[in-house]
Amino acid sequence: MDITRSPLARPFPHLPQIAGVTLRTARASYKDWDRCDLTFAELTDGTAVGGVFTKSACASSEVELGREQVILGSARALVVNAGNSNAFTGHRGREAVEQIMAQVAEGLRCQPSDVFVSSTGVIGVPLPKDKARAGVAAVLTAEPCNWEAAADAIATTDTFAKGAGASAMLGATRAELAGIIKGSGMIAPDMATMLGYIFTDATIAPAFLQEMLEAANRATFSCITVDGDTSTSDTVLAFATGKASNDLLSGWDDAGADAFYAALLEVCRELAQLVVRDGEGAQKFIAVSVSGAADDDSARRVGLSIANSPLVKTAIAGGDANWGRVVMAVGKAGEPADRDRLSIGFGGIWAARDGQPLADYDEAPVARHLEGQEITVEVDLGIGDGRATVWTCDLTHGYIAINADYRS
Amino acid sequence: MDITRSPLARPFPHLPQIAGVTLRTARASYKDWDRCDLTFAELTDGTAVGGVFTKSACASSEVELGREQVILGSARALVVNAGNSNAFTGHRGREAVEQIMAQVAEGLRCQPSDVFVSSTGVIGVPLPKDKARAGVAAVLTAEPCNWEAAADAIATTDTFAKGAGASAMLGATRAELAGIIKGSGMIAPDMATMLGYIFTDATIAPAFLQEMLEAANRATFSCITVDGDTSTSDTVLAFATGKASNDLLSGWDDAGADAFYAALLEVCRELAQLVVRDGEGAQKFIAVSVSGAADDDSARRVGLSIANSPLVKTAIAGGDANWGRVVMAVGKAGEPADRDRLSIGFGGIWAARDGQPLADYDEAPVARHLEGQEITVEVDLGIGDGRATVWTCDLTHGYIAINADYRS
């Protein structure tokens, strides 16, 4: 398959070094390709971890184990396999994960439960243990690499490497954050074959790191969709090495907690949006802002109903200000709405207000907006104070070409 | 837009005359086209009615009024406007519907509430009252027409006329059923409008007709999807004229009730499947059968999650037996499932059983099945006795071309 770089791609940013994190990659050759496909992050002793995972009822062994490991709160290593998701592979798949955990634990002299494993790629093929064993052995002694190399090595059908960084002042101490992510299809996070990893040198209690990550996830990764399909492997992990030596953050009232959360949110939002920018076949990046909903969760669900509607997504692909399709998507969301209070706009220009098209609606500026690459859709439900923004991409021939021509 | 006849189309069947039903069509010229676009069914005095409607929170005035009228249980006429859905048009839209009801009621000397109105087409443009008035005046005196002419006149961008019939022995009395339908989830590119009408000469109490229609709807119209988008106007009405003079059917224990329900179910299933066969861009008709679910409703929701998945639909379009995408769609359904009991097959051949791919799985016969036009997907959840079958079509470049190239 010839994959060209998404027209919505962003250059890989400069990301800070995170003290206590060492990245390495190796070739496990999970597929017949000439690239690194095993990524390893060694984490200093005492690193705290938080994680959010797919809600799929058919989650992979990696996800099942990860959910248990996160509760323990500590991490020493991350291993990411690309090219094979190891999902739907029964006990053989689980054994392969446990083998990797044991092998890394032996190398680092840590507990197997401190070794987090993710896998992404084809479903239904057990991860080959021999390739994993040789790959892990190689990666443990490989030279350290930079963020972009790691972002490349976790990717599968992505068309560009994705990363984001931020910093936060925790009192007088500056903490750095860096994150990488992969994903472009099967994206509707309850989480998607979206694998994201965020690293920071801040000192944070695991329970509070988990709490902040869950909050950030609700506002970012859970607000994106490419195709409404949810993968069996979605995972976002946050690791805090504590090397910044700030006073421990253990709750929202601690000095610096708000600053750190703001930085975490910024990284998560950028990573989430980068996944949308690499949505399969995407030609336009679409932000759907919903206001006036019963509450914020309701606003998010209405936004996702719009963002998942094939009719809305194809209309925008065609540059068509078809607000009737937005009405349809609001109506089908199953959330409180009142047809006669509903207002809909594009690019900040209302097309319909209070349940009727505007008498003096001028489509020309809206049509110009829809010719661009960065589209906004505004919806006001007029019944409450709930609001949310969700992000998606348009639905194009490229999506069909990628997914109807792809053979597993 | 050049719409060619769906490759999955069926010839229009021979349908019985239904005593007490007279069909007529006229040209209201709701759009600039050379065809009949106003359909009228006159129903004999005493006709019972049942109806099911879209659950959209932004339903049209036709739907709002229809929901109230059905509760009264009696009908004398049906009017269907094609080319303008009259949805999202506020009080002006409602006035247009009330005008039609009053005009027909005057002509037939009945109550306005006995006149059912449906409209399908573009959203956001109030139905023009002058055209409606002239059209209704013309149709009231037009020559009677046959089922196929009526099926053509209610259509918008459908590529073929759709009808189905059946009969049932109610004791010694033979009752006839005939139905017509338009749309497919998205064959009218502006919205997902499905309008269906079923007529019978049986004598049935309105409440029982309603009960049977709701039951049939759950197993048929609620089991189809083209793209998961739900219209603001979806309507299915059932009219029973009583001309067959059978003993009144008023409950499931009445003689003939089971026979009538079986015939109603047959007509509803055929009409529902015809809509899928006209799905935008459809090249393949797909039946997804789910068994072993917690209950029947859960099975239906799992089936719809599979049938709505763009990744599953594009895989089938590409002839790819990608059962991993089916696993994904089961997992995201939000229904009880156990990965390690899940089995998946195509064309009656299991590809995976109990959470793992079959060791001796031979893809060749499955690949041959997927080359055909009539595809089956089998899913067994292995946790209960619930079962359901849902119907959909594949997702192709044709869908994108129709919906991204169309301008409202």
Side-chain angles (χ1 to χ4, degrees), chain A residues 9-28:
Chain A
R10 297 285 200 217
F12 197 85
H14 174 76
L15 297 183
Q17 293 276 0
I18 303 295
V21 179
T22 306
L23 302 170
R24 299 187 179 91
T25 64
R27 289 162 195 253

Side-chain angles (χ1 to χ4, degrees), chain A residues 56-57 59 88 123-124 227-230 309-311 314 318 320 322-325 328 331-332 339 357 397 403-404 406-407, chain B residues 56-57 59 88 123-124 186 189-190 228-230 309-311 314 318 320 323 325 328 331-332 339 357 363 397 399 403-404 406:
Chain A
S56 171
F88 210 65
I123 291 177
D227 49 18
D229 275 343
T230 302
S309 160
L311 282 179
T314 47
D320 180 6
N322 195 321
W323 53 266
R325 295 185 183 180
M328 176 280 300
K332 77 164 181 167
R339 184 191 67 199
H397 285 288
N403 286 299
Y406 169 83
R407 295 300 302 265
Chain B
S56 172
F88 211 64
I123 289 178
M186 294 298 142
D190 216 343
D229 275 346
T230 303
S309 161
L311 287 175
T314 48
D320 179 8
W323 53 266
R325 295 185 182 179
M328 175 280 299
K332 76 165 181 167
R339 185 192 66 199
E363 198 182 322
H397 284 288
Y399 182 87
N403 286 300
Y406 169 82

